[in-house]
Structure formats: C-alpha cells, structure tokens
C-alpha cells in the first residue's frame, strides 16, 4: 500500500498553481488536505504524475463576511468551520454538519474546497452548500467563474471544475434572523460517511414554511435538492400532506445500492428524515410518527 | 468480589505481606510502549534486508497458465521474483489435519500457489526488492495468465453433489463432520413445547492494530534461521519452520518481542510467512514481510461463518428438556495449519447448552471447503456461536411459555453446588458459579428497575431491550486441545527465575505478550512469592533461544499455566535463597522469610540480611559460606494441567439497548459482565481483557462482516467498509467478579481473555429481540445491521 512515485510542487500563489495545472493537464492533481487524495493514491486507485500542493496559499484561507455573503476560502479546514464564530452566526448548518465529518484528526486537515471538489455523494458539505444555495467560486487561466451549488455537482466524484481550474472559495448567503436549520444523518458509526443524510434550511413563519430547502445526501450520484419540499411551502402541514411529500420524495430519489443499504432502504430512511426534519423545524413532534406506521 | 470457595491451602504462597496478587499495579512495559521504545517487527531494520510483496490472485478459483515476470525483473531495486514452483525447492507443502479430529481432511497447501489459486488473495508470486515501494512498482509489471474456474462460495451449495469439488483428490467438499447424541432427545422433545430457529453468523476477522509482520534472516555461515515474528506461539513457529525447511529445530530461533495485538490471528502459520522464511534461505539475506491492510483482510484468518439450526424443548414450568443443533460452516479452501479449521465447529458442538443442566443433546456439525479466505481460530473460538445459539434458544423458549428470561435461567442453570460434573458433550466442570454470577449481575444492573423503565418507555413508543447471556469458556487447555492430535504445540509452559548479583530477579518465561499483560502478571507473581518488589523483577519472553520451552499465549492460558509455572519457580528459588540465608545467619530456613527485598525473621519480621548482600556473598565470597553449601540462585519449573482437559470458566452478560424502529439503528446503552476466572492476579488487567473482549463481541453483533460476492470476491477489504467497533458506539461496560479458584494449581487462576467475546453478541441479539417483541419480530442473524432490522420489521 505505497503510492506510486510522483513529482511534487508546492504552489507559491494561485497564479503559480494555475500555471502548474495548465502545464500538466489531467496528469496533475491538486493536493489540499490530502484526506481523500492520499488514501486513493496509497491504494493506487489514482497515480497522478505530479501533485500541486496548495496548502501554503494564504489567499485561499479565511472566513469573512462581505455584505450579505459569508465567504469561505477553499483551504478552510473542517475544524475551522466547527470553531468559527462567523459560521456559527451566519451558516450554522455548516457547523452542525461538519461535526459529523470523519474524526478530529481528519477534520484537522481536510478542507471545504477538497470536500466540494472531491464530490463524494455521501459527503455532508456538498449537501449543505446545496441547501444553503451557495455559490462555488473557481479560477482558471481564463479567469474566475461562479457556479451555483446545484449546478456544480455533476455525478459521483464529478463536478463542473475543469482539470486546470482551482476551487478558490464558497459564497454562502448570510442567514437571516428567520432562518432555521436541520441537520441529521444516519451513519453506521460516528464519523462514517452517511447511509442517508439531510441538510435543510428553512424559514418558518406562523407555523408554516415560507422557505424550505432540503439537501439530501447519499441518496443518488450527487447531493439532491428535493423538489418535494415545494409541497410543504406556504401550506398547513398535516400528516396527510407530509405523507404526500414523503411519497413525492421517494419518487424523486434514485438511490444506489451498496453494502450499507438497498435502494429501498435509502428511500425509506430519506422519508423518515423528512418527517423528523419537518417535525423538528415546525416544533410539532406528533408529525414525526405520522407516516409508515 | 464474591468468593464462592476458598482453596484448601488458603493461598499460602500468595497471601503474603506486600503481595501484588489481586492488586491493580501498572504494567511494567507501559513506559516502554508509550515512549515509542517497543520492539515491533514492523519497525525492525537489518543490514541487507530486502522486502517482499506478494502478487495475489484476483480470482477466487483459477488455473495459473503462465506467469511473465521479465519486465518486472528489470525494474529498479528488484532483488528477485519467485514463483510457487521455484520456492518448492526450499520448502515443502503442508496439510492442516489433526488425528483426534476424526475424518478431518485437507489438501496440501503451498507457500506460494503452484498451478492453481483457491481464493482471492492467495499469493501467486513473491517480489523481493530493496523497498516495499519498489516491490509494489515491480509487481504492476508482472502479468499472469489465469484460466478462471468455477468458484464454490456458498457453504450450503458446497455439499451439493453437482457442486465442483475444490480438491478432486478429496472426493467432496466436506472437510469434517461430527455428530453427538447424548441422553434421549426424541423422547425429551416429544413431551415439550418446541422452538426452532436458524442462526446466521457473519464471517469476520481480527483486525489487529499491527498487521502480521515477519523478518526472516538465514545466516548461511551458522546454518541458522532467525525469525522475528509477531506471533503468539514462538516454539510452534520454530517447529513448523524447521520441519518444512528441512532443518533441525535447533537451527531455527524465533524472536517475538512486542506484538501489536493478536486475538488468535497470530497463532497460525500463514503461507506468506512460510514463503518469507523460505525466501530468506533461498536468497541468503534478511527478508521482511509486513502485510498491508488490504492483504490483512484477504489473508488473516476469518472466523465465525456459520449457519446453525437450533431446537430447544421446554416444559410449561420452564424446564429445558433438550437442545439440538445442526451447524454448517465454510472454512475456505484449506484447513489452516497446524491447528486446523475444524476446531471452531468442534467447539460449537462441545459448548452448546453448556451452562444448563439439560442432559439431552444432539448435534451435528459439518465443515466444508469453499473458495474464500481460510477460516480458523479467533478469540473465543466457537464460543460466540455456541452462546448465541444456546442463549437465543433459551430466550425464545422463555417467550414461548411466557416466562421471564431470568427466571428460565434460574430454573435451568447448573446449580453452584453440583460440581464437579460434566456436560452432555463430555466437558468436565470443576467448579462454576452460574447462579452466583447471575445474582450479582441482576444487582449490578438493577434488573427490576430496568424492566420498569423499559415498560414506561414502551408506552411512549421507545423500544428498549434487555438481553442476558450466560456462558462457559474454555481456558488453560491441556494436551487435549492439540497435542493428542499430533500437533507439536506445547501445552506446558516453563519459567526460570534467578537472583542476580545485586538482588534483582530475572525471569524467563515461555508465555508471550501481545498486550494482555503477561509481563505484568509474571512479575506480580514472582515478586509476591519471592518477597521482592516488582521493580526488581525483569521478565524476558518471546525468544526460543532464551526462554524455557512452552506454548505461548492463546486460549486464555497465559495466567493459568504460565502463571503457575512462575509461582512454582519462584517458590523453589525462595526456598534456595532461604537455605543459603539460614547457612549465612546460622539459622534455619523455617525461621526466616523474605520480605521487601530482604531476609527477615519469620516470627517478628526483624530484618536480618538484604538480598543484595546475600547475593554478594554467594557470587563473590562463597569462600565465607559454611563447607558443603552449594547455593543455587536459579530455579526452573514447568506446569501443565493434568486433571482437567480444560479449566472451564463461566459468567453472564447483559445488554441494555434501544432500537430505533423507524431506521433500524441500534444504540447500545450499557453492558454488564460478571465473570469467574478464579484467582484474579491483576483486577485491572482482567477487567480490560473482559472489556476488550466484549467490544469484539459487540463488533460481531452490530458491525463486522467480511462481505463476499457470489464470485468469491471480498468486497470490503478496507477500514472504511469493514466496520470495526469504535469507541463512539461502545456503551459503558461494567465488570463484576465471582471467584472460584481452580484446585489444579496453587495459583488457582483460570483464563479471562475470551469471556467477553464469548457472550457479548448473544446478549445484544437477545436485547434486540426483547426490544422488538411487541412488534412481533425475531432476528437470529448477526451482524444486526439496520438493513436486517428494517427488513425484519417489514419497513422495507
Ligand atoms: C477516515 C476518513 C473518514 C472520512 N469521513 C468523511 C465523512 O464522514 N464525510 C466527509 O464528507 N468526508 C469524509 N472524509 C473525507 C474528508 O472530509 C476529506 O477531507 C475531504 O473529502 C477532502 O478534503 P481534502 O482537503 O482532504 O482534499 P484532498 O484529499 O487533498 O483532495 C480531494 C480531491 O479534491 C481535489 N481538490 C482539493 N482541493 C481542491 C481545490 N481547491 N480545487 C480543485 N480541486 C481540489 C484534489 O485534487 C482531489 O482530487 C473522510 C476521510 C477519511 C480519511
């Protein structure tokens, strides 16, 4: 279990990193926290000719508020999300979610840019940025592009990033006073990738949802912004309506089967999460047990 | 701690002033390990050492048509590339059978496959290079031409007459079959309520922190092979290596210092380890093999792949009238060497029904070949299967007649005053304490309060369950385990103790240390018996050149057997010291004692002479001793149990958990164990053995499984997909003790290493079924994954 030999370059600036990427094309790989890349290389699932290490680029660090955007640099580590007062204030969902990402040793190294670029469909952060309606900022030799989160994820480990582009930041709309969040996942063990998970943002007024974004993960080849949420917006949520939404959700999902769960189990768990989420956000515990009994 | 019976001679040697017995003292090897000064084989570097990597078969069953390694040979750093055919010149094949397991058959196994591979992961060629990375690079350039053969993977299909026979010369795929019929089962069942169930156990493995590691160093000038290996049984390795390399045992030295966990994984002889010894001899230089994690999953022995049909008969008053089982297990393509792969099924037959007074018992066990990795003995061999089947049936019987699970056990467990006695399968019990243990367990868990809490929560749709599992455990095995079957595996152990010139003690023991605390318990015993403080006792183990001959550490035997040898050796040395002291002091040995590193008056404790002063006189001024005195400041003793084939221990476990019936996830809330391992030498070591064992049992219950596809591919051979139990999911584990020392030894210690693993899964499975009882679901399969639970509940 030793990686094949590779060359290594520590980028001195974003521009330098982009030059290196342009020079080596798809033979190069960006190295961020290394928590997904290095295991894959040690298993020889990946054998890049050269690693472009962006770890020293101060330009990619930091969490700042710019107007009504929370801007998170690509090199922001999971542990930084967990501890940042700005994140706690403006995008609490990220903090709640990141506690479920792996273990402290991995959170000390893994980065948000790496997680989003890696695009594991069972990952927490991609679903969060979808639920938060965030924008992914990428830079290439031709300049900067802004891609909405829903457009960014294209499939298993597939994104809108081109081989010579760098993910530089994530822009998250600052949560208004009225926003509430829900995060829950079912994983076999603490820190494992989820069997099914849900990251949600909502605005609740007078017992009804005026906005509801449900970002499911591990239910398909990419994080899914559930259209079924639409049924619950601006409506009085009854057990019957919730059941209808759950049925719509099950239809909408196209989950994969793997060692943890069949497609049917993933559909089932997603509907359980939906009910628990709605019950929690509306503070109506009775809704939780309304379906499937 | 409840003591059921004081031994006749009231621990005379152990119950001394300043005794360490029964005390939690820090393990003397902790500083070494914590400061990174452990001597693990994985870290070992020798001059001119080369590294071997094995190219392993991607197919479960295939003919090897051709191997082309020309390109690989030209790669930088490559020392040699060796195939099975080429290695045959230096090492002979072996067959993993033992004569006392009647009818057990297996086929010759080679260090590296010759012509045919029989499981995915079997080595096909060895690449020896100057570094592991260079060897892995070269490996990518070897091309092997395989002709894939049909793979026999499902153990149920292996005996189908239409199934392919994996080793044609054996005639069929049945490796071993054992039947047993005690009492009158049919008669007993005819008047009883009957409950039946199929129990299914996931194949799993040991996952040691340090993977298997060996450095073999053939010294042609001395015609000697030194093997550095993380093993549990150095003398066994010495014997086997010599046998198959055509050497005398004296030409093989096995060194085994620190070992990063073993759990039975490292008590076997693996083909790749044999190949490494042979490569060193062939290439005349040190060769190192360290299994990587993927190799570990594909080649470390697996265990527990059983399907067992169980039946129990019960009368309305709760009397259990009979047990009946039909067990089937698939062991891979070969019976493992040299302990064989029939032992687990054999143990299942031996142990089912073991805690109960029921005399009627019928069993059949069949062991079949299949094209998967080999299975063999892993911590608590057979016990978790036997315990899960027995305790699962007992709970089902209780449910059938509407009796509380505790009550049915009270009515059927062998009475604490019924010993000595034997089980229907012929197991001899010296003294067990099922009832005392159960009583203690119920107190610890506050059973009635827990039942009340469970009822209250059920009303709120929260489903919690309580599961109880009584168990027996085989420890301190005599020659009955392996020796009688022809295996050269010692059941006796030896300890040599000597007083050095400054009054410190050097102790050489044949038991080994893989983290259990063998060093500590040996030092505690020797220090206590001698009257010397533990810091003055240095324990040397794990070197066939420098320790007495013995079995090593496995089957919960280190404390019971090696500990008794240490006690007897220390007693002999103590007598020798007192004899010399009496001569020096013009006294008699009976009037003297050794306390706190010095000779004192037995009567009033007045100090007479320090041990270092005594040693000085003996070693440097023997001219001053009275004539005729020849001091002997070294003593050696060996011990093996003779009266009982095994020292059975017993205990009972309980699990308290919550099932989320919507998601199928189980949350373990608490676990209790009461165990009886006889004399407790170091309570903390015993408790941690129990806890560690429980955790492995909880892993089996909820998480661990080697998942094979129908083509015999292991699909989760990594730490992300193979789920080991982790601390986040583990409950608090409370441990209590009942103490019934064995009379076979002065020490009175039985083993404690496997008790935790034996019963943990059974307790959890019973608790899950207890939680699900109002929902009319019963599950007799582990691991209890959310998928399994949701399916049983009809949710998906
Ligand atoms: C044991 C373990 C458990 C884990 N559990 C979880 C879990 O439960 N949930 C979870 O979400 N993750 C989990 N992870 C993964 C972890 O969160 C990683 O940190 C994350 O997936 C990748 O981040 P990284 O910074 O380490 O990226 P790297 O490993 O360095 O890179 C990952 C990929 O992204 C590319 N990349 C990285 N940064 C950029 C960039 N700025 N621009 C363009 N491409 C880039 C790399 O080239 C590579 O292809 C786990 C990892 C381990 C080892």
């Amino acid at each position: 279990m030793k990686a094949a030999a590779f060359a290594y370059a520590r980028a001195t600036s974003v521009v330098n990193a982009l030059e290196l990427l342009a020079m080596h094309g798809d033979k190069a790989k960006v190295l961020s926290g290394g928590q997904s890349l290095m295991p894959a290389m040690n298993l020889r699932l990946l054998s890049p000719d050269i690693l472009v290490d962006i770890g020293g680029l101060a330009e990619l660090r930091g969490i700042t508020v710019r107007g009504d955007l929370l801007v998170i640099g690509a090199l922001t580590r999971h542990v930084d999300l967990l501890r940042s007062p700005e994140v706690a204030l403006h995008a609490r969902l990220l903090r709640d979610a990141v506690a479920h990402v792996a273990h402290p040793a991995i959170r000390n190294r893994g980065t948000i840019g790496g997680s989003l670029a890696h695009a594991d469909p069972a990952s927490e952060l991609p679903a969060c940025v979808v639920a938060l309606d965030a924008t992914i900022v990428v830079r290439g030799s031709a300049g900067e592009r802004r891609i909405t989160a829903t457009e960014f994820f294209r499939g298993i480990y597939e994104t809108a990033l081109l081989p010579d582009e760098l993910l530089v930041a994530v822009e998250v709309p600052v949560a208004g006073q009225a926003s509430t969040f829900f995060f829950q996942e079912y994983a076999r063990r603490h820190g494992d990738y989820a069997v099914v998970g849900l990251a949600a943002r909502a605005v609740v007024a007078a017992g009804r949802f005026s906005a509801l974004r449900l970002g499911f993960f591990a239910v398909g080849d990419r994080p899914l912004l559930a259209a079924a949420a639409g049924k619950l917006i601006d409506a009085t949520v009854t057990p019957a309506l919730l059941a209808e939404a759950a049925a719509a959700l099950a239809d909408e999902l196209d989950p994969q089967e793997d060692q943890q769960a069949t497609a049917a189990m993933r559909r089932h768990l997603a509907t359980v999460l939906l009910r628990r989420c709605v019950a929690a956000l509306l503070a109506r515990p009775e809704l939780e047990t309304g379906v499937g009994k | 701690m409840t003591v059921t019976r004081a031994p006749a001679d009231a621990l005379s040697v152990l119950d001394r002033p300043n005794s360490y017995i029964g005390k939690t003292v820090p393990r003397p090897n902790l500083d070494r390990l914590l400061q990174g000064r452990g001597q693990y084989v994985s870290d070992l570097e020798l001059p001119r050492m080369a590294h071997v990597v094995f190219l392993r078969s991607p197919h479960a069953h295939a003919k090897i048509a051709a191997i082309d390694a020309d390109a690989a040979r030209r790669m930088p750093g490559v020392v040699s590339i060796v195939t099975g055919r080429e290695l045959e010149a230096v090492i002979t094949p072996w067959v993993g059978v033992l004569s006392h397991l009647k009818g057990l058959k297996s086929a010759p196994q080679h260090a590296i496959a010759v012509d045919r591979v029989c499981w995915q992961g079997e080595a096909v060629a060895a690449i020896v290079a100057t570094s592991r990375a260079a060897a892995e690079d070269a490996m990518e350039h070897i091309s092997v031409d395989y002709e894939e053969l049909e793979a026999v993977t499902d153990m149920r299909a292996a005996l189908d007459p239409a199934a392919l026979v994996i080793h044609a010369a054996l005639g069929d795929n049945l490796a071993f079959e054992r039947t047993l019929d005690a009492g009158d089962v049919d008669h007993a069942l005819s008047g009883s309520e009957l409950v039946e169930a199929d129990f299914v156990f996931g194949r799993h493995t040991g996952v040691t922190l340090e993977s298997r590691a060996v450095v073999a160093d053939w010294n042609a000038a001395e015609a000697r092979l030194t093997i550095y290996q993380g093993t549990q049984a150095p003398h066994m390795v010495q014997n086997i290596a010599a046998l198959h390399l055509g050497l005398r045992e004296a030409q093989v030295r096995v060194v085994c210092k620190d070992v990063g966990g073993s759990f039975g994984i490292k008590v076997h002889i693996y083909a790749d380890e044999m190949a490494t010894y042979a490569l060193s001899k062939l290439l005349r230089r040190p060769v190192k093999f360290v299994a990587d994690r993927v190799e570990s999953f594909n080649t470390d022995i697996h265990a527990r792949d059983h399907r067992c049909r169980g039946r129990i008969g019960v009368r309305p008053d709760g009397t259990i009238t009979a047990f009946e089982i039909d067990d089937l297990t698939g062991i891979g393509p070969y019976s493992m060497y040299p302990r064989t792969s029939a032992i687990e099924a054999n143990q299942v037959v031996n142990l089912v029904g073991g805690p109960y007074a029921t005399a009627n018992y019928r069993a059949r066990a069949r062991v079949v070949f299949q094209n998967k990795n080999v299975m063999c003995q892993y911590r608590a061999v057979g016990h978790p299967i036997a315990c899960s089947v027995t305790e699962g049936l007992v709970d089902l019987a209780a449910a059938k007649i509407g009796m509380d699970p505790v009550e049915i056990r009270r009515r059927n467990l062998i009475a604490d005053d019924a010993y000595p006695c034997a089980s229907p399968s012929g197991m001899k019990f010296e003294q067990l304490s099922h009832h005392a243990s159960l009583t203690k367990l119920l107190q610890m868990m506050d059973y009635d309060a827990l039942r009340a809490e469970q009822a209250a929560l059920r009303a709120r749709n929260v489903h919690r369950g309580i599961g109880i599992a009584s168990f027996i455990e085989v420890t301190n095995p005599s020659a009955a385990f392996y020796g009688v079957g022809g295996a050269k595996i010692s059941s006796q152990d030896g300890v040599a103790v000597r007083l050095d010139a400054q009054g410190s003690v050097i102790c050489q023991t044949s038991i080994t240390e893989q983290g259990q605390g063998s060093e500590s318990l040996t030092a505690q015993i020797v220090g206590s018996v001698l009257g010397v403080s533990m810091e003055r006792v240095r324990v040397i183990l794990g070197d066939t050149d420098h320790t007495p001959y013995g079995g090593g550490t496995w089957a919960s035997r280190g404390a019971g057997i090696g500990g008794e040898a240490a006690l007897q050796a220390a007693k002999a040395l103590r007598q020798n010291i007192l004899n010399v002291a009496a001569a020096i002091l013009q006294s008699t040995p009976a009037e003297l004692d050794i306390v706190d590193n010095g000779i004192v008056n037995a009567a009033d404790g007045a100090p007479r002479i320090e041990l270092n002063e005594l040693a000085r006189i003996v070693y440097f001024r023997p001219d001053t001793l009275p004539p005729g005195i020849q001091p002997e400041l070294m003593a050696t003793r060996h011990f093996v149990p003779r009266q009982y084939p095994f020292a059975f221990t017993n205990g009972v476990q309980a699990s308290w958990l919550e099932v989320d019936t919507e998601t199928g996830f189980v949350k373990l809330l608490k676990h209790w164990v009461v165990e009886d391992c006889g004399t407790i030498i170091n309570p903390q070591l015993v408790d941690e053995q129990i806890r560690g064992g429980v955790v492995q049992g909880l892993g089996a219950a909820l998480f661990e499984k080697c998942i094979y596809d129908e083509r015999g591919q292991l699909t989760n051979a990594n730490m992300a997909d193979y789920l080991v139990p982790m601390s986040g999911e583990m409950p608090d584990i409370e441990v209590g003790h009942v103490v019934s020392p064995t009379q076979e030894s002065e020490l009175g210690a039985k083993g404690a290493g496997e008790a935790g693993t034996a019963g943990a899964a059974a307790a959890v499975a019973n608790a899950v079924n207890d939680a699900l009882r109002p929902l009319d679901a019963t599950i007799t399969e582990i691991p209890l994954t959310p998928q399994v639970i949701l399916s049983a509940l009809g949710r998906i």
Side-chain angles (χ1 to χ4, degrees):
Chain A
M1 232 191 258
K2 306 281 178 207
F6 56 88
Y8 170 90
R10 190 157 170 90
T12 52
S13 64
V14 170
V15 173
N16 176 229
L18 293 174
E19 281 166 7
L20 287 164
L21 290 178
M23 199 184 313
H24 296 283
D26 58 8
K27 296 213 157 54
K29 272 274 167 199
V30 173
L31 173 66
S32 187
Q35 298 305 293
S36 293
L37 184 56
M38 295 319 295
M41 287 173 61
N42 284 341
L43 287 164
R44 297 199 178 203
L45 298 172
L46 282 179
S47 302
D49 286 357
I50 178 167
L51 289 188
V52 177
D53 184 352
I54 57 170
L57 304 184
E59 322 159 50
L60 300 183
R61 288 194 190 286
I63 302 172
T64 47
V65 180
R66 262 186 238 145
D68 54 3
L69 289 179
L70 180 71
V71 183
I72 304 172
L75 278 182
T76 304
R77 295 172 198 276
H78 300 332
V79 64
D80 301 329
L81 294 180
L82 206 56
R83 294 193 185 148
S84 156
E86 290 84 6
V87 169
L89 191 62
H90 301 299
R92 210 187 65 220
L93 187 63
L94 288 172
R95 188 199 60 184
D96 294 349
V98 92
H100 295 263
V101 176
H103 308 278
I106 293 151
R107 294 200 291 261
N108 286 343
R109 286 188 172 272
T111 63
I112 189 168
S115 181
L116 300 180
H118 189 56
D120 187 316
S123 262
E124 290 81 357
L125 296 179
C128 289
V129 295
V130 164
L132 292 171
D133 200 9
T135 302
I136 316 292
V137 186
V138 309
R139 209 178 299 163
S141 33
E144 208 162 79
R145 296 198 287 149
R146 282 188 155 60
I147 310 164
T148 59
T150 40
E151 288 295 306
F152 184 74
F153 301 102
R154 295 284 167 86
I156 300 178
Y157 308 133
E158 268 180 54
T159 67
L161 266 177
L162 300 174
D164 61 351
E165 281 180 326
L166 210 55
L167 192 161
V168 293
V170 187
E171 295 172 347
V172 182
V174 164
Q177 288 292 325
S179 283
T180 55
F181 302 99
F182 176 90
F183 186 91
Q184 213 173 81
E185 69 175 46
Y186 300 126
R188 294 291 301 280
R189 303 171 304 179
H190 283 82
D192 280 354
Y193 281 102
V195 177
V196 172
L198 170 59
R201 194 189 77 178
V203 179
V204 179
R208 294 153 69 107
F209 290 114
S210 58
L212 179 64
R213 287 177 73 90
L214 300 174
F216 281 93
F217 53 107
V219 292
D221 67 352
R222 68 195 86 175
L224 175 107
L225 185 68
K231 293 194 179 294
L232 303 171
I233 295 172
D234 292 330
T236 303
V237 179
T238 59
L241 182 65
L242 190 50
E244 201 183 302
L249 175 68
D251 277 348
E252 185 178 356
L253 299 181
D254 182 17
Q256 318 240 327
E257 161 150 19
D258 64 15
Q259 294 179 342
Q260 307 302 344
T262 58
M265 174 164 155
R266 288 207 153 84
R267 277 205 181 83
H268 167 78
L269 289 181
T271 60
V272 173
L273 271 177
L274 173 68
R275 280 187 278 122
R276 290 184 178 177
C277 169
V278 169
L281 290 175
L282 296 179
R284 288 173 54 196
E286 79 282 2
L287 286 174
E288 199 177 307
T289 50
V291 190
K293 278 267 151 183
Chain B
M1 188 181 330
T2 320
V3 180
T4 55
R5 189 177 58 156
D9 188 20
L11 290 181
S12 58
V13 192
L14 301 171
D15 199 12
R16 291 166 39 77
N18 305 322
S19 171
Y20 296 104
I21 308 297
K23 301 217 172 88
T24 289
V25 288
R27 304 156 54 162
N29 58 6
L30 273 188
D31 286 345
R32 183 176 84 241
L33 299 179
L34 294 177
Q35 293 180 27
R37 299 308 301 263
Q39 291 174 274
Y40 296 96
V41 177
S42 310
D43 298 330
L44 186 67
E45 298 283 344
L46 294 180
R48 292 183 65 247
M49 187 176 82
H51 298 257
V52 61
V53 164
F54 294 96
L55 175 65
R56 296 183 181 278
S57 168
H59 304 294
H61 199 190
K63 230 169 98 46
I64 304 168
I67 301 175
D68 180 358
D70 287 349
R73 281 203 176 86
R74 292 192 298 271
M75 294 284 289
V78 171
V79 173
S80 185
I81 293 179
V82 182
T83 62
R85 245 317 152 241
E86 291 159 334
L87 207 62
E88 260 187 324
V90 238
I91 190 159
T92 55
W94 55 87
V95 181
V97 295
L98 287 172
S99 62
H100 67 314
L101 298 164
K102 288 200 181 43
L104 171 61
K105 61 192 188 207
S106 188
Q109 187 180 357
H110 296 266
I112 297 181
V114 174
D115 294 340
R116 189 167 65 113
V117 286
C118 289
W119 85 90
Q120 180 224 355
E122 186 171 4
V124 173
I127 300 96
V128 185
T130 49
S131 73
R132 169 123 196 162
E136 286 189 18
D137 284 348
M139 183 160 70
E140 293 187 343
H141 295 272
I142 301 180
S143 68
V144 183
D145 196 356
Y146 293 101
E147 288 166 19
E148 231 185 305
L149 301 169
E150 180 190 325
V152 180
T153 54
D154 185 344
M155 58 169 127
R156 285 167 298 182
L159 293 178
D160 188 325
L164 178 115
V165 176
I166 295 175
H167 305 293
L170 299 181
D172 56 27
N173 291 324
L174 183 65
F176 177 68
E177 175 161 9
R178 179 179 167 200
T179 56
L180 180 98
D181 200 348
D184 188 342
V185 172
D186 291 328
H187 180 255
L189 290 180
S190 64
S192 311
E193 297 263 20
L194 259 181
V195 189
E196 293 194 306
D198 283 314
F199 295 86
V200 180
F201 300 85
R203 187 181 250 260
H204 60 111
T205 184
V207 198
T208 55
L209 203 52
E210 184 195 21
S211 54
R212 289 187 295 111
V214 54
V215 173
D217 183 10
W218 171 250
N219 182 330
E222 284 188 316
R224 269 199 115 203
L225 178 69
T226 303
I227 297 173
Y228 303 89
Q229 184 167 333
T231 175
Q232 300 174 238
H235 282 103
M236 181 193 86
V237 172
Q238 177 190 44
N239 167 264
I240 301 281
L243 182 66
H244 292 279
L245 291 168
L247 303 171
R248 283 173 296 110
E249 285 183 23
Q251 288 176 280
V252 179
R253 175 184 173 196
V254 179
V255 182
C256 168
K257 291 304 174 189
D258 293 304
V259 182
S262 51
F263 318 122
I265 297 298
K266 296 175 184 168
V267 80
H268 313 290
I269 299 288
Y270 290 86
D272 44 25
E273 293 164 359
M274 290 283 253
T276 308
Y277 316 151
L279 285 166
S280 176
K281 190 147 180 276
L282 189 74
L283 302 171
R284 297 170 152 243
R285 64 191 289 175
V287 179
K288 180 178 198 170
F289 168 64
V290 180
D292 71 22
R293 197 50 77 181
V294 176
E295 286 182 295
S296 299
F297 278 113
N298 278 297
T299 61
D300 285 8
I301 56 110
H302 293 175
R304 321 267 207 253
D305 198 0
H306 286 246
R307 304 184 71 93
C308 186
R309 179 147 195 82
R311 290 217 284 177
I312 188 170
V314 65
R315 291 213 203 96
D317 68 354
T319 309
I320 298 171
T321 55
F323 286 100
E324 182 172 11
I325 61 156
D326 188 2
D327 184 42
L328 178 66
T329 178
I331 55 162
Y334 297 102
S335 171
M336 194 71 183
Y337 192 56
R339 293 170 191 248
T340 86
S341 304
I343 298 279
E344 187 168 71
N346 199 52
Q347 291 277 58
V348 173
V349 173
N350 283 342
L351 299 173
V352 163
Y356 298 98
T358 314
N360 306 303
Y361 174 40
R362 185 158 56 208
R364 174 170 78 155
R366 286 172 301 161
V367 175
V368 303
F369 294 118
Q370 53 182 177
N371 294 111
K372 293 181 181 174
N373 182 25
V374 285
M375 286 224 312
C376 201
Q377 284 78 288
Y378 161 59
R379 195 176 196 171
V381 192
H383 292 68
I385 313 289
C387 183
S388 293
V389 170
T390 305
E391 295 302 280
L393 288 172
V394 168
D395 265 26
L396 290 175
K400 176 108 183 180
I401 58 169
M403 186 175 275
D404 185 272
V406 167
E407 188 52 31
I408 193 169
R409 286 177 173 79
R410 277 216 184 95
R411 293 187 186 200
N412 290 281
L413 287 167
I414 301 172
D416 289 357
D417 60 3
Y419 302 93
C421 65
S423 77
S425 62
M427 299 294 106
K428 292 203 255 170
F429 303 135
E430 183 192 1
Q431 175 67 54
L432 302 178
S433 57
H434 288 298
H435 289 270
S437 299
L438 181 61
T439 303
K440 178 150 194 160
L441 179 90
L442 299 177
Q443 269 165 20
M444 279 165 62
M445 65 193 287
D446 202 347
Y447 183 73
D448 295 334
L450 220 52
R451 281 281 177 221
E453 186 179 341
Q454 176 187 37
L457 286 168
R458 255 181 200 159
R460 291 168 31 206
N461 217 16
V462 174
H463 297 277
R464 291 197 177 174
I466 300 170
I468 310 252
S470 288
F471 64 90
I472 52 174
E473 187 205 347
V474 170
T475 77
N476 294 4
S478 71
F481 229 3
Y482 296 114
V484 298
K488 301 255 176 18
I489 301 169
S490 172
S491 51
Q492 62 88 59
D493 272 283
V495 172
V497 214
R498 75 172 193 263
L499 195 71
D500 79 1
Q502 289 194 322
S504 291
V505 176
I506 295 165
C507 170
Q508 292 144 296
T509 175
S510 61
I511 63 168
T512 52
E513 166 82 83
Q514 303 104 39
Q516 330 44 3
S518 303
E519 279 187 61
S520 181
L521 70 90
T522 303
Q524 282 180 258
I525 292 167
V526 168
S528 301
V529 174
L530 273 180
V532 168
S533 50
M534 258 178 86
E535 314 84 77
R536 288 211 191 179
V537 181
R538 203 160 78 80
V539 178
I540 295 170
L541 33 67
D543 188 337
T544 57
D545 267 8
H546 297 298
T547 63
Y549 200 91
T553 300
W554 40 271
S556 300
R557 63 190 301 286
I561 297 178
E564 176 68 6
L567 183 152
Q568 294 302 339
K571 238 175 102 174
L573 177 60
R574 174 185 153 75
Q575 193 56 49
N576 294 352
I577 293 171
L578 290 177
N579 289 344
V580 180
I584 295 171
L585 301 169
Q586 297 178 332
S587 175
T588 64
E591 288 173 294
L592 301 170
D593 193 1
I594 313 174
V595 173
D596 260 348
N597 310 308
I599 309 289
V600 300
N601 281 337
D604 60 6
R608 299 294 305 271
I609 180 173
E610 290 293 315
L611 280 179
N612 62 352
E613 177 59 9
L614 178 141
R616 186 191 65 80
I617 295 169
V618 167
Y619 289 119
F620 308 121
R621 294 303 308 275
D623 56 309
T624 64
L625 293 172
I629 296 281
Q630 273 298 350
E632 188 63 68
L633 294 190
M634 178 157 182
T636 305
R637 288 293 182 273
H638 292 80
F639 177 72
V640 66
R642 299 292 301 278
Q643 198 186 344
Y644 284 89
F646 311 104
F648 270 95
T649 70
N650 68 280
V652 58
Q653 304 198 14
S655 167
W656 170 236
L657 52 75
E658 183 170 320
V659 183
D660 182 334
T661 56
E662 291 289 306
T663 64
F665 278 71
V666 173
K667 186 168 171 52
L668 301 172
L669 300 169
K670 185 95 190 214
H671 202 94
W672 298 267
V673 183
V674 175
E675 67 79 48
D676 182 348
C677 66
T679 304
I680 293 173
I681 299 160
N682 184 328
Q684 188 174 47
L685 286 180
V686 171
D687 287 0
E688 296 315 322
Q689 278 295 307
I690 298 296
R691 290 199 178 93
V694 165
V695 167
Q696 275 178 314
L698 298 177
L702 297 182
F703 301 110
E704 296 186 59
K705 184 174 182 181
C706 299
I707 303 172
Y708 276 90
D709 69 13
E710 63 290 347
R711 292 177 55 231
Q713 299 284 321
L714 180 58
T715 58
N716 62 338
N718 62 70
M719 295 296 283
D721 297 322
Y722 181 94
L723 308 181
V724 295
M726 306 230 308
S727 57
E729 282 60 53
M730 292 300 104
D732 280 347
I733 302 165
E734 235 179 79
V735 185
H737 307 276
V738 172
V739 178
S740 313
T742 171
Q743 306 286 300
E744 269 225 78
S745 67
E746 212 170 326
L747 184 61
K750 311 181 211 174
E754 298 164 285
T757 313
V764 168
N766 281 351
V768 166
N769 283 323
D770 186 52
L772 299 185
R773 199 144 282 132
L775 303 170
D776 268 341
T778 303
I779 309 174
T780 52
E781 173 182 352
I782 58 169
L784 287 151
T785 64
Q787 177 87 43
V788 165
I789 291 174
L790 287 177
S791 303
L793 288 170
R795 293 273 195 272
I796 51 173

